[in-house]
Amino acid sequence: MDFEDVIGQENIRERLLQMVSEDRVPHALMLCGPTGCGKKALAIALGCELIKHSTSRPAAEASMFGMFDDAPASDELVPDANNMAMLAKLEHPDLHFTYPTIKTPSMGSEHQPISADFAREWNDLLMANGPYFSFNQWMEAIGAANQQAIITGGESDELSRKLSLKSSQGGYKVSIIWLPERMNATSANKLLKLLEEPPRRTVFIMVSEAPDQLLETIRSRTQRIDVKPISAEAIEQALISRRGIDADNAHRIARVANGSWNTALEALNADNENQLFLDLFMQFMRLAYQRKVKELKVWSDSVSSFGREKQRRMLTYFLSQVRENFIYNFHNPELNYQTKDEEDFSRNFARFINEANVIEISEQLELAMRQIAQNANPRVVFFDLALQIIVLLIKK
């Protein structure tokens, strides 16, 4: 993978490439930004570029080793063909990935899950989707249900062991840590020691969506780069050029995507999760408005069967739709970011989300999210939420 695969983010791409060309890449970088903005894509592109650049040979030397039939006799650097082949598959021995994992039933009681336990699933997801996949997709790929995925102390030990070895190709060793905020305390402290005494010719690239949840001592030892949401124009052009979407649909999807290429891709899939969440939101609000308590109990039991991560995603989606329905009342289409199906529902429902109840409804959804995160009984949480919404929808 290289920087050409990154959607938009031209300024950061140029900045990172300049760091590599001038050989002034810090030993620890942290790319921060919202889901889908391309942080992971930038990190992987940078990691590949570092390895490629540090293992390239002068063209004349490469010709001597048979890398090119007619290589020019010059000092121009050319990448090693073997390295390029391994990087294309993202299976280079000097490119290390760390990511949140879960404990499966087949693991022994003493075993701490490490990234290597899920290397096949990770690589399959990268090869199938590229670097633009979400934490939710990763959880599905590893078969997580109610488990909270974390980065364990065992993973930090394994990473330390790998990075202590000499580079296989004589260039940089690159450690890409996706979602470091999911490290447990043991893992975070062990990583801190690695950052304080980094192995020679090693670069750490962290990809974070919640950097404030990291230890201050870790944050202080990294150079932070904030990655903004992708511009709507860049998403629109990528949808047209890479996905063959017509200009009108590309424009609408780009606005709804709100700076996330992940969201744009999900919008292309008629069976995407947000469609399910929209159906559940419409059903929930209609039943609450009609005060159908018995049916709401059935609805609550149904969504309680979802895994906790999926329940949190659903509530996050509900929150976004409450905001969109409230804004819809201002009759300014430029302020709304909805699909056609969402807009069709808002046309009749939006008037029930108003100044009198929008804050309290949002607070109830946020409370439910916190309770789910704290492992509260989901049947109780969702039925109580339903009863609260019944009361709040009649406020005017």
Side-chain angles (χ1 to χ4, degrees):
M1 176 179 173
D2 56 39
F3 283 100
E4 293 301 316
D5 298 312
V6 178
I7 308 293
Q9 307 297 1
E10 288 82 1
N11 291 338
I12 294 180
R13 278 195 278 175
E14 291 175 8
R15 179 179 173 183
L16 295 176
L17 279 168
Q18 187 174 2
M19 284 183 178
V20 175
S21 65
E22 295 176 357
D23 198 22
R24 56 177 184 85
V25 178
H27 83 279
L29 274 170
M30 183 159 58
L31 303 178
C32 307
T35 301
C37 68
K39 306 179 302 297
K40 185 163 6 79
L42 287 163
I44 295 174
L46 174 60
C48 291
E49 186 67 25
L50 276 168
I51 293 173
K52 189 192 318 178
H53 184 79
S54 63
T55 56
S56 295
R57 298 179 176 181
E61 182 182 339
S63 180
M64 289 174 59
F65 282 90
M67 290 169 61
F68 297 94
D69 293 333
D70 299 309
S74 71
D75 292 330
E76 179 185 355
L77 294 178
V78 293
D80 178 81
N82 290 331
N83 278 333
M84 294 296 288
M86 290 186 288
L87 289 172
K89 296 180 180 179
L90 297 178
E91 293 179 339
H92 196 285
D94 294 328
L95 182 64
H96 305 283
F97 291 103
T98 291
Y99 34 81
T101 57
I102 60 170
K103 188 156 188 171
T104 64
S106 62
M107 294 176 180
S109 58
E110 300 299 319
H111 178 72
Q112 292 188 55
I114 60 175
S115 295
D117 295 330
F118 299 91
R120 180 180 58 80
E121 290 86 350
W122 177 262
N123 196 258
D124 287 349
L125 198 57
L126 278 173
M127 292 297 100
N129 298 277
Y132 291 92
F133 59 84
S134 66
F135 177 72
N136 304 331
Q137 289 172 285
W138 173 237
M139 293 294 283
E140 290 179 8
I142 61 177
N146 292 331
Q147 292 172 274
Q148 301 285 339
I150 63 170
I151 298 174
T152 66
E155 170 63 21
S156 292
D157 289 337
E158 179 67 7
L159 184 60
S160 179
R161 184 192 67 79
K162 289 179 179 178
L163 297 178
S164 68
L165 303 175
K166 292 181 65 174
S167 166
S168 67
Q169 307 296 314
Y172 274 106
K173 292 172 290 184
V174 177
S175 168
I176 296 176
I177 304 174
W178 183 49
L179 303 181
E181 56 267 27
R182 286 188 171 264
M183 291 186 292
N184 63 19
T186 301
S187 180
N189 285 316
K190 289 181 177 180
L191 177 65
L192 176 60
K193 186 174 180 180
L194 265 178
L195 294 176
E196 289 173 336
E197 302 174 8
R200 183 178 176 274
R201 297 274 279 175
T202 299
V203 172
F204 295 90
I205 308 173
M206 299 185 197
V207 181
S208 176
E209 293 175 6
D212 291 344
Q213 295 178 17
L214 283 164
L215 293 175
E216 170 58 31
T217 44
I218 289 180
R219 297 201 305 268
S220 67
R221 283 164 175 79
T222 65
Q223 180 174 321
R224 175 170 171 166
I225 296 178
D226 289 309
V227 184
K228 296 179 180 180
I230 308 169
S231 69
E233 293 78 9
I235 291 178
E236 185 175 339
Q237 288 304 311
L239 287 169
I240 294 171
S241 61
R242 301 186 185 204
R243 298 287 170 160
I245 307 301
D246 65 84
D248 287 342
N249 278 329
H251 179 72
R252 186 180 187 93
I253 291 172
R255 292 194 74 251
V256 172
N258 198 26
S260 169
W261 181 246
N262 294 10
T263 304
L265 293 180
E266 289 170 1
L268 296 178
N269 182 0
D271 298 321
N272 69 79
E273 190 176 63
N274 278 0
Q275 186 60 51
L276 168 65
F277 291 162
L278 172 61
D279 293 340
L280 290 170
F281 179 75
M282 292 190 296
Q283 184 183 21
F284 182 57
M285 291 302 174
R286 284 167 176 161
L287 291 174
Y289 177 73
Q290 295 167 1
R291 305 183 189 182
K292 294 187 175 181
V293 177
K294 184 177 180 180
E295 287 85 348
L296 281 170
K297 181 66 168 62
V298 173
W299 183 94
S300 301
D301 290 344
S302 175
V303 298
S304 294
S305 66
F306 296 165
R308 291 189 183 274
E309 291 290 346
K310 188 171 182 178
Q311 290 166 357
R312 291 169 68 182
R313 296 197 299 273
M314 181 189 74
L315 289 169
T316 299
Y317 177 83
F318 282 16
L319 263 173
S320 72
Q321 286 309 302
V322 168
R323 181 264 177 199
E324 294 300 333
N325 276 273
F326 178 67
I327 296 297
Y328 189 90
N329 293 308
F330 294 98
H331 304 292
N332 186 344
E334 290 302 310
L335 296 178
N336 271 111
Y337 298 87
Q338 294 181 295
T339 65
K340 186 177 185 303
D341 289 342
E342 290 167 348
E343 186 178 331
D344 288 344
F345 178 66
S346 295
R347 191 170 294 115
N348 294 318
F349 176 72
R351 66 181 183 274
F352 298 107
I353 305 295
N354 50 60
E355 293 89 344
N357 61 18
V358 63
I359 293 177
E360 290 179 271
I361 289 176
S362 298
E363 288 174 345
Q364 288 298 320
L365 289 167
E366 289 168 352
L367 173 62
M369 288 177 67
R370 290 196 300 273
Q371 292 171 333
I372 292 298
Q374 294 164 0
N375 294 324
N377 186 321
R379 283 185 170 84
V380 175
V381 171
F382 287 115
F383 189 56
D384 182 66
L385 173 64
L387 297 178
Q388 296 297 329
I389 297 300
I390 287 176
V391 175
L392 291 172
L393 281 182
I394 62 175
K395 277 197 170 186
K396 295 185 185 290

